[in-house]
Amino acid sequence: MNIVEELLNNHSRLALSKGITAVENEYDNAVEIMTKIYPHTGNAYVIGITGPPGAGKSTMTDKIAKEYRKRGKTVGIVAIDPTSPYSGGAILGDRIRMMDLMSDEGIFVRSMATRGSLGGLSQKAGDAVKLMDAYGFEVIIVETVGVGQSEVDIVKTADTTMVVVIPGMGDDIQAIKAGILEIGDLITINKADREGTDKLNIEMEMMLELNPEHVSWRPPINRTIASKNEGIEAVVDSIEEHKAYLMESGKLAEIRQARIKTEVVAMVNDRVNRYIDKNVVETDDFGKTVARLSTREIEPYSVVEEIVINVLK
Amino acid sequence: MANVKVLVAKPGLDGHDRGAKVVARALRDAGFEVIYTGIRLTPEQIAEAALQDDVNVVALSLLSGAHNTLFPKVVELLKEKGLNDVLVIGGGVIPDADIPGLKAAGVAEVFTPGTPTGNIVEFINANVK
């Protein structure tokens, strides 16, 4: 099957799926596919959804996708779940909340495992987004748990980022305050029928109040009960308002250019890292050097200097 | 880095998912990427999910007795969607007498109650394309 041809011209869902597998597994044809589809990307609006485990991100994604379908948009979804660091396996359970989307041709859901951090998950997720974009999906949602730098990196690449929080998490909320909450263009309090919703709402308001960056756009706080589809329309309205703000202020072009820069830097770093792994780290000489370092026979600073000079030669 | 992807699904009107969950966990521990899709699914939903996630294996669990209808239907829909290399396996309370028929319909292997999960892992490793 000619993946690029089938994806671009024949609207083949199988080709889209195979294309994502190619980038995910780093098949030989992955670079060729991405090279050919790149000119056809840049049309989709990308939404990142993140938050702590159990906040209802998958359910929220499902409901937001349905709301966009009602508004006449096609939706691609990339749902990311963590790989077990022990077995290398993963249980990807996001799809369980999205099974009734399976009968809609205007929706495509792809589950991805974080796998190892090496090789750049954010790059692979980014490529999956581009493939969906080239296929023609108008809205693309990237959903991932908000722990770990790589997940935050992925979500940061979205045009609009939404952070989902829930009441009753106590110290967990304190912990994420300093992290992912700051990247939210929208904050959604899900499970808002639970005790502690008002308190959480006040805490979120206070946090936003203290952030000096929120001058021209202040992240709206929405309340939802995603499992009952309550408050979802307002969330989608907020996303659209943020989009309009980005477009009118010219910030969308800025964000996207910054994203391209980040992507290219990451791709270069990835190539360099792989080169060093192959030509330095995995050599016998390097093993010997480490042994000499551990007996303090030599010191690391000149070792590094030597390696860098050799690599850059 | 090509990981084996397995879709675990329960077709039909059967809410008993403990077996499917135990298998899902065992497969994860064996290093597979398991897409768990839950209960009460139509064959169409399962086949479409298999296509979107481009899985290597579809593992069906059923305890309601409708396996002779639903398992072959999933196999048929996978083929219709062009997923010709997907390994389909089944499990649950399935009478021995039904197993040859299921195999003839394209279910590669059927695992009945009492099967050590290691057997399923071994079978997948030996037969996945």
Side-chain angles (χ1 to χ4, degrees):
Chain A
M1 178 169 63
N2 184 330
I3 290 176
V4 175
E5 178 90 354
E6 287 290 314
L7 187 151
L8 293 177
N9 303 333
N10 292 339
H11 230 56
S12 157
R13 298 164 78 81
L14 185 60
L16 172 58
S17 191
K18 294 285 178 195
I20 298 174
T21 302
V23 297
E24 201 179 19
N25 290 346
E26 300 176 10
Y27 289 156
D28 292 339
N29 58 350
V31 173
E32 192 200 332
I33 293 170
M34 292 312 298
T35 308
K36 286 189 177 153
I37 64 122
Y38 194 81
H40 304 274
T41 61
N43 303 310
Y45 195 78
V46 184
I47 300 162
I49 298 183
T50 189
K57 296 179 293 298
S58 303
T59 308
M60 187 80 76
T61 301
D62 173 72
K63 298 296 191 284
I64 288 175
K66 282 176 186 150
E67 180 61 27
Y68 268 114
R69 290 298 291 140
K70 263 193 222 160
R71 300 185 188 196
K73 304 276 190 192
T74 56
V75 186
I77 297 169
V78 180
I80 301 159
D81 265 333
T83 292
S84 155
Y86 301 106
S87 68
I91 294 204
L92 309 173
D94 293 322
R95 190 180 277 282
I96 198 168
R97 315 274 176 233
M98 306 178 195
M99 285 311 283
D100 54 344
L101 302 178
M102 289 306 98
S103 42
D104 183 348
E105 290 238 323
I107 288 184
F108 192 100
V109 184
R110 182 59 174 240
S111 326
M112 282 179 113
T114 52
R115 299 192 180 173
S117 58
L118 200 98
L121 168 67
S122 48
Q123 193 183 327
K124 287 175 183 176
D127 284 350
V129 168
K130 286 195 199 76
L131 285 158
M132 289 183 176
D133 186 351
Y135 178 93
F137 285 106
E138 295 161 292
V139 174
I140 297 169
I141 304 175
V142 181
E143 183 231 312
T144 179
V145 73
V147 287
Q149 189 60 43
S150 61
E151 282 91 342
V152 172
D153 284 348
I154 297 161
V155 168
K156 272 200 311 212
T157 65
D159 297 318
T160 294
T161 301
M162 178 168 94
V163 177
V164 184
V165 291
I166 47 172
M169 288 195 69
D171 285 347
D172 290 350
I173 291 295
Q174 302 295 333
I176 53 172
K177 253 186 197 170
I180 56 167
L181 277 180
E182 289 172 5
I183 64 172
D185 301 305
L186 265 68
I187 290 171
T188 300
I189 302 176
N190 192 33
K191 309 190 186 182
D193 51 348
R194 285 195 181 174
E195 200 187 317
T197 299
D198 289 337
K199 185 168 168 277
L200 179 60
N201 207 138
I202 292 167
E203 282 175 9
M204 294 294 116
E205 290 282 1
M206 277 174 61
M207 182 203 70
L208 294 177
E209 208 63 55
L210 293 172
N211 193 328
E213 276 176 33
H214 299 139
V215 178
S216 48
W217 173 263
R218 184 190 162 103
I221 301 172
N222 286 294
R223 293 186 184 196
T224 55
I225 307 168
S227 60
K228 293 181 187 162
N229 205 26
E230 283 176 26
I232 301 298
E233 279 177 38
V235 168
V236 174
D237 287 344
S238 289
I239 294 171
E240 289 298 309
E241 277 161 29
H242 185 245
K243 179 183 176 182
Y245 155 76
L246 289 178
M247 289 173 91
E248 281 156 23
S249 64
K251 281 218 164 68
L252 188 61
E254 269 175 44
I255 290 176
R256 290 186 168 180
Q257 197 163 333
R259 177 159 81 207
I260 290 168
K261 183 181 166 188
T262 312
E263 271 174 11
V264 173
V265 171
M267 282 161 79
V268 172
N269 282 337
D270 186 49
R271 279 284 283 277
V272 171
N273 282 338
R274 281 165 199 248
Y275 179 87
I276 290 173
D277 273 345
K278 186 162 168 263
N279 296 291
V280 179
V281 179
E282 286 161 19
T283 60
D284 292 342
D285 274 356
F286 191 69
K288 285 176 198 151
T289 305
V290 172
R292 289 175 67 206
L293 280 167
S294 54
T295 58
R296 301 294 188 275
E297 201 180 313
I298 49 173
E299 39 70 38
Y301 309 97
S302 33
V303 170
V304 171
E305 189 67 28
E306 200 182 314
I307 290 171
V308 171
I309 286 169
N310 269 323
V311 168
L312 295 180
K313 204 164 50 185
Chain B
M1 209 165 77
N3 291 29
V4 173
K5 282 195 270 187
V6 186
L7 185 93
V8 175
K10 288 188 60 69
L13 299 172
D14 160 19
H16 300 87
D17 58 356
R18 181 163 302 179
K21 281 178 173 160
V22 168
V23 170
R25 177 64 199 263
L27 298 180
R28 184 202 84 153
D29 290 343
F32 300 143
E33 287 178 0
V34 181
I35 294 116
Y36 189 72
T37 52
I39 57 174
R40 298 195 184 97
L41 302 172
T42 64
E44 176 57 45
Q45 285 175 315
I46 294 168
E48 183 59 28
L51 176 138
Q52 294 181 5
D53 274 332
D54 194 19
V55 297
N56 309 96
V57 183
V58 171
L60 302 169
S61 162
L62 199 73
L63 299 107
S64 72
H67 47 268
N68 284 336
T69 314
L70 295 171
F71 286 8
K73 185 72 188 166
V74 172
V75 174
E76 188 188 308
L77 288 170
L78 290 172
K79 294 234 164 78
E80 242 173 56
K81 288 176 185 287
L83 298 164
N84 299 311
D85 293 336
V86 175
L87 182 72
V88 180
I89 56 175
V93 267
I94 292 163
D96 289 346
D98 290 348
I99 294 176
L102 291 172
K103 285 190 175 173
V107 179
E109 190 55 271
V110 176
F111 300 95
T112 49
T115 307
T117 51
N119 293 10
I120 305 172
V121 172
E122 267 171 42
F123 184 84
I124 291 174
N125 277 326
N127 293 283
V128 71
K129 278 166 218 159

